[in-house]
């Protein structure tokens, strides 16, 4: 069985605390046409390098009924700056246009098969996976990006087309798993393409 969700799989449920102190479930986002769930964190240079690009994508598509949910599943025992308090501070400083959830148990990351930070999952209205992978092909320096994969997938779906490239490999740091060395990945984790 593949580690990461396959195209057509339903979004796994979650019930997680956000930086605003409210708990959110998958069903809290039922009204959106599309849902972008992405695994992120506070310290990763690929995340930090692409934050403003992700903000731009969210600002562009939120008015079109697309919601964005960031999830930090990294172990704070691996990187202290990935703890909840640093998440709250990060949102206060940056005012990102998405809900930022804390997956302390890492069960949500496991259920989605998150490989890296950032790793994006795009779900349709029925919450079936229609795209997963990267947002751009150069997240550390988005000004040098040659492909804008997440935007292409959103545009294709919203215009009624099929997704031309439903799978790309996420580019970034691996998820920091509790009790494991920094670069450990589950045995069945692998490239998507």
């Amino acid at each position: 069985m593949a580690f990461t969700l396959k195209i057509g799989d339903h979004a796994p449920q979650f019930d997680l605390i956000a930086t605003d102190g409210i708990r959110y479930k998958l069903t809290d986002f039922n009204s959106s046409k599309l849902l972008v769930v992405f695994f992120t964190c506070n310290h990763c240079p690929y995340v930090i390098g692409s934050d403003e690009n992700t903000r731009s994508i969210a600002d562009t598509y939120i008015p079109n009924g697309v919601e964005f949910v960031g999830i930090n599943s990294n172990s704070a025992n691996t990187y202290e700056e990935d703890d909840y308090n640093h998440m709250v501070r990060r949102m206060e400083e940056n005012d990102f246009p998405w809900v930022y959830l804390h997956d302390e148990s890492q069960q949500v990351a496991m259920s989605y098969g998150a490989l890296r930070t950032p790793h994006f999952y795009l779900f349709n209205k029925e919450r079936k996976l229609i795209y997963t992978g990267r947002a751009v092909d150069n997240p550390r320096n988005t000004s040098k990006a040659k492909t804008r994969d997440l935007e292409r997938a959103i545009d294709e779906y919203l215009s009624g087309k099929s997704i031309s490239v439903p799978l790309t490999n996420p580019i970034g740091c691996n998820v920091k798993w509790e009790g494991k060395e920094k670069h450990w990945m589950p045995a069945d984790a692998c490239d998507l393409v």
Side-chain angles (χ1 to χ4, degrees):
M1 187 172 110
F3 178 71
T4 302
L5 291 176
K6 298 186 300 298
I7 299 302
D9 285 351
H10 282 93
Q13 297 295 325
F14 55 76
D15 181 356
L16 299 171
I17 187 95
T19 54
D20 61 9
I22 299 170
R23 293 192 76 85
Y24 290 85
K25 297 178 180 177
L26 180 65
T27 53
D28 291 321
F29 305 97
N30 277 351
S31 63
S32 60
K33 290 181 199 173
L34 286 170
L35 179 65
V36 176
V37 175
F38 63 104
F39 289 83
T40 185
C41 66
N42 300 327
H43 86 276
C44 171
Y46 295 90
V47 168
I48 293 167
S50 60
D51 273 339
E52 290 308 312
N53 181 70
T54 305
R55 181 198 302 275
S56 175
I57 296 169
D59 286 342
T60 298
Y61 293 102
I62 286 171
N64 296 316
V66 183
E67 288 193 86
F68 290 73
V69 176
I71 301 177
N72 176 15
S73 300
N74 275 2
S75 167
N77 291 320
T78 306
Y79 280 95
E80 184 180 337
E81 58 266 45
D82 281 333
D83 71 7
Y84 180 75
N85 290 334
H86 283 88
M87 291 173 60
V88 172
R89 187 175 315 139
R90 191 159 192 270
M91 285 299 276
E92 287 171 350
E93 291 170 356
N94 293 282
D95 193 29
F96 291 126
W98 51 77
V99 175
Y100 193 17
L101 305 177
H102 189 213
D103 176 27
E104 186 175 13
S105 73
Q106 302 186 312
Q107 290 177 352
V108 176
M110 271 294 181
S111 67
Y112 280 72
L115 295 170
R116 304 199 173 274
T117 55
H119 186 165
F120 293 84
Y121 296 78
L122 178 63
F123 297 95
N124 66 13
K125 181 68 175 164
E126 292 74 40
R127 295 305 175 250
K128 289 185 177 181
L129 185 66
I130 59 173
Y131 170 80
T132 187
R134 63 195 182 208
V136 295
D137 63 348
N138 194 335
R140 280 187 88 154
N141 186 350
T142 57
S143 67
K144 295 183 178 179
K146 293 187 175 86
T147 63
R148 307 189 73 74
D149 303 281
L150 178 62
E151 290 167 88
R152 179 184 59 233
I154 294 171
D155 284 338
E156 288 173 345
Y157 181 83
L158 291 177
S159 64
K161 299 176 183 172
S162 59
I163 308 303
S164 58
V165 182
L167 288 174
T168 60
N169 288 319
I171 300 171
C173 300
N174 62 294
V175 173
K176 305 308 180 198
W177 298 99
E178 180 66 28
K180 305 293 185 184
E181 61 91 16
K182 291 178 184 178
H183 301 289
W184 181 87
M185 293 184 83
D188 51 352
C190 62
D191 284 346
L192 303 180
V193 290

